[in-house]
Amino acid sequence: MKFSEITEQSWQELKPYLDTCVIPVTGMSGNEAPFEAVNKLEQLRDFLDLIEVPFMGRTVTYPAYHYVNDSDIRSEWRRLDEVAKQLKQYGFRHVVVMSIWNKLPGESCEAIDLVLAPSGNGSASDETHVRKQVEELWNRSQFSEQL
């Protein structure tokens, strides 16, 4: 589900079911020609389909974080982690970052529960990987609640 499909009134009803927020990260620098920007957006869209389609009804995709500073990767990931903290305050239990940006965090983030990036091996392996990682995230969460 896209964030724009949720009204103020429907949020209270849907909140218990929509426990996972997805933050897409394009990773553009601003130096892309129009056709390069389109290519990156299409790649991100296709990658997002791997979580939005099979997990519809449990995930909400927020607006994409498009522009990043490659020279300060830590700062970019700290900023994303701050966004994740805020989203959890609104009721999301899990925050997943899906990124085609090839600069993944070198350390764990406090509020981001899962970072997914394409494997480069083709969509079939990506689909299996995404499904497995998301299901493991949810299973870990259920297990920790039972303790």
Side-chain angles (χ1 to χ4, degrees), residues 1 4 20 45 54 62 75 92 102 106 113 115 117 126 132 137:
M1 181 170 243
S4 59
T20 304
R45 176 205 59 210
Y62 261 59
S75 176
F92 290 105
N102 61 359
D113 300 298
V115 177
D126 283 340
K132 181 180 175 190
L137 170 67

Side-chain angles (χ1 to χ4, degrees), residues 23 25 65 68-69 71-86 97 101 103-112 115:
I23 303 173
V25 178
Y65 188 79
V68 296
N69 179 353
S71 64
D72 194 0
I73 296 165
R74 280 189 165 168
S75 176
E76 293 293 348
W77 281 102
R78 279 194 301 271
R79 187 173 301 137
L80 281 165
D81 201 43
E82 286 299 318
V83 170
K85 286 177 192 172
Q86 294 296 325
V97 170
W101 184 36
K103 310 287 187 193
L104 299 178
E107 62 224 29
S108 65
C109 296
E110 185 180 328
I112 297 171
V115 177

Side-chain angles (χ1 to χ4, degrees), residues 84-128:
K85 286 177 192 172
Q86 294 296 325
L87 292 168
K88 285 185 173 185
Q89 288 181 0
Y90 282 108
F92 290 105
R93 292 185 54 213
H94 311 286
V95 176
V96 176
V97 170
M98 292 190 75
S99 177
I100 60 168
W101 184 36
N102 61 359
K103 310 287 187 193
L104 299 178
E107 62 224 29
S108 65
C109 296
E110 185 180 328
I112 297 171
D113 300 298
L114 180 62
V115 177
L116 296 168
S119 67
N121 296 331
S123 63
S125 64
D126 283 340
E127 183 175 353
T128 302

